[in-house]
Every structure is written in C-alpha cells, then in structure tokens.
Amino acid sequence: DVQLVESGGGLVQPGRPLRLSCAASGFALEEYSMHWVRLVPGKGLQWVSGLSWNSGSIAYSDSVKGRFSISRDNAKNSLYLQMNSLRPEDTALYYCARATPPYSGWYNYDSWGLGTLVTVSS
Amino acid sequence: QSELTQPPSVSAAPGQKVTISCSGSSSNIGNNYVSWYQLVPGTAPKLLIYENNKRPSGIPDRFSGSKSGTSATLGITGLQTGDEADYSCGTWDSSLSAVIFGGGTKLTVL
C-alpha cells in the first residue's frame, strides 16, 4: 500500500528554521511529482511547494518563496521541506502529497500523509 | 481569501442529496481540471474526484463531480453520517502558476 509519513514538525520561534521530512513507501517515488500542502486553521488547504519527478521543475507559493526549499532523495524514498525565517502565519498542519498520474501529474493529489504540525510562536 | 469560492457550510438529512459549489475564473477552473478532496480530522485527506468528474478506485458512485465554465460542483447522494467532513476543491491557476484550493465546505448530516 502507498504510505506517506511526515515528520519534523514542532514548536519553533519566529525567524528560526525547521526541516520537514516525508518518508514514502509502497510506490516508486522517482516516478512521481511530490508536493507539500498545508492546512491552516480557518483558512483551508494551501499549496506550499512542488517538485517534479526528475527534480527538473520546482515551484513555490508566493507566501513561502525565498524562505522554503523543497528537495527529494529518491534513494532514501524521502521528500524534504527546509523552512527558514519562519513566521507565525506559517503555523499549520503540513502534508506531503503525491501527484498523479506518474511523471506528468502536478496538481491532482491521490495520496496524502497524516501531516506534521508546525507551530510558529514566541 | 481563497481564489476558489466555496460555501462555508451545507447540511442535509441522511439519505438525501447535497451539492457543493466551487467558483473560480478563466485562469483556473475555466481552463484546468478540478479535483475534490474530503478532509476528516486525524485522517489523511482523500481524493474523491479528479479531472472534473472521475472517481478514483474505491470511491463510491454516490460521489460525483461536474464542471461548467468557471464553476465546479461536487454532488453526494444517499448521505450518511460518515460523510460529515470538510470538502475542498482544487485546481491549477495559470496566471498565478500555483495550485489553488477553495476555502473548504463543512458538510453536516443532520
């Protein structure tokens, strides 16, 4: 079965960094574009960043551009999100999501993790 | 404020039908596929509808999707108490070069 497990969330002070990880299993990670999507209380889902299957395309939402960096290690079946200069408005439940179909999918997410909670507060 | 507009809440009785609307523009819904997701606290979001009206394997045909112009609609028939959840639409916005979602609609099965 396809499984995505996020980790790395926690309470962090404004301006500090945090690195999220997503461990994938049950499928060939290298065949899929992978994304980070966050759930902000009261505001719904917000797309954060996406990385194509071959890492040739990388995209960020305007709200995190220049502060967050997405990467993947296919050998370790893992996706990462390096978050720098965190702000209170980055507080959210962060999900790792797989885009389908393989290779060409970008904004249709057929598998999600349970999420990891990030709280930015002093 | 989301680029896709959904009603904050809808409700209906068990066994009844409900529709949830998602309104956008020509830069998003008007020219791209729409997906629908079910969000239940403590569980992973679930894809219900993709490419406007297709159901992934395992999703019952009580769930349906449609699109017309710059709006999309999720329909749920034969409502069950287990359908109580938040529902969110999503698509690509060609002007923003970003994936966008609606603000979510909370379904209450009375």
Side-chain angles (χ1 to χ4, degrees):
Chain A
D1 287 356
V2 172
Q3 191 172 16
L4 298 171
V5 180
E6 303 91 341
S7 61
L11 174 62
V12 60
Q13 293 181 327
R16 302 294 293 171
L18 202 61
R19 189 193 196 208
L20 305 184
S21 299
C22 171
S25 60
F27 69 100
L29 183 68
E30 61 268 21
E31 295 180 356
Y32 290 85
S33 295
M34 297 297 296
H35 295 243
W36 289 97
V37 178
R38 64 190 181 187
L39 179 60
V40 180
K43 294 188 176 181
L45 294 172
Q46 293 182 354
W47 175 73
V48 174
S49 180
L51 179 61
S52 64
W53 65 277
N54 60 357
S55 298
S57 293
I58 301 176
Y60 301 94
S61 67
D62 286 345
S63 60
V64 308
K65 198 173 296 181
R67 300 187 298 122
F68 290 12
S69 177
I70 190 172
S71 62
R72 65 195 296 161
D73 186 334
N74 291 333
K76 294 184 177 180
N77 291 318
S78 293
L79 178 74
Y80 306 100
L81 185 67
Q82 178 65 44
M83 305 186 294
N84 298 327
S85 303
L86 281 163
R87 304 168 180 169
E89 55 264 37
D90 294 319
T91 294
L93 183 62
Y94 283 74
Y95 295 107
C96 166
R98 184 182 82 169
T100 195
Y103 302 113
S104 61
W106 187 254
Y107 61 92
N108 182 46
Y109 306 122
D110 68 339
S111 295
W112 301 64
L114 291 176
T116 186
L117 183 62
V118 173
T119 303
V120 184
S121 175
S122 54
Chain B
Q1 186 175 355
S2 303
E3 286 82 12
L4 300 180
T5 301
Q6 296 181 233
S9 63
V10 296
S11 62
Q16 296 299 304
K17 173 183 178 179
V18 70
T19 60
I20 298 173
S21 61
C22 176
S23 178
S25 67
S26 59
S27 66
N28 43 68
I29 292 180
N31 285 283
N32 296 289
Y33 288 126
V34 177
S35 302
W36 286 93
Y37 302 92
Q38 181 189 59
L39 285 77
V40 176
T43 69
K46 179 186 295 184
L47 175 67
L48 296 175
I49 298 290
Y50 68 101
E51 291 183 5
N52 304 332
N53 55 19
K54 298 178 181 178
R55 282 178 288 106
S57 172
I59 301 300
D61 58 7
R62 299 189 299 107
F63 295 89
S64 64
S66 64
K67 188 181 95 167
S68 178
T70 59
S71 293
T73 301
L74 173 71
I76 311 173
T77 60
L79 278 172
Q80 303 172 1
T81 55
D83 295 330
E84 286 203 333
D86 287 329
Y87 293 84
S88 184
C89 54
T91 187
W92 174 255
D93 190 295
S94 305
S95 295
L96 298 174
S97 293
V99 181
I100 58 173
F101 294 95
T105 298
K106 182 176 181 57
L107 168 63
T108 300
V109 181
L110 301 171

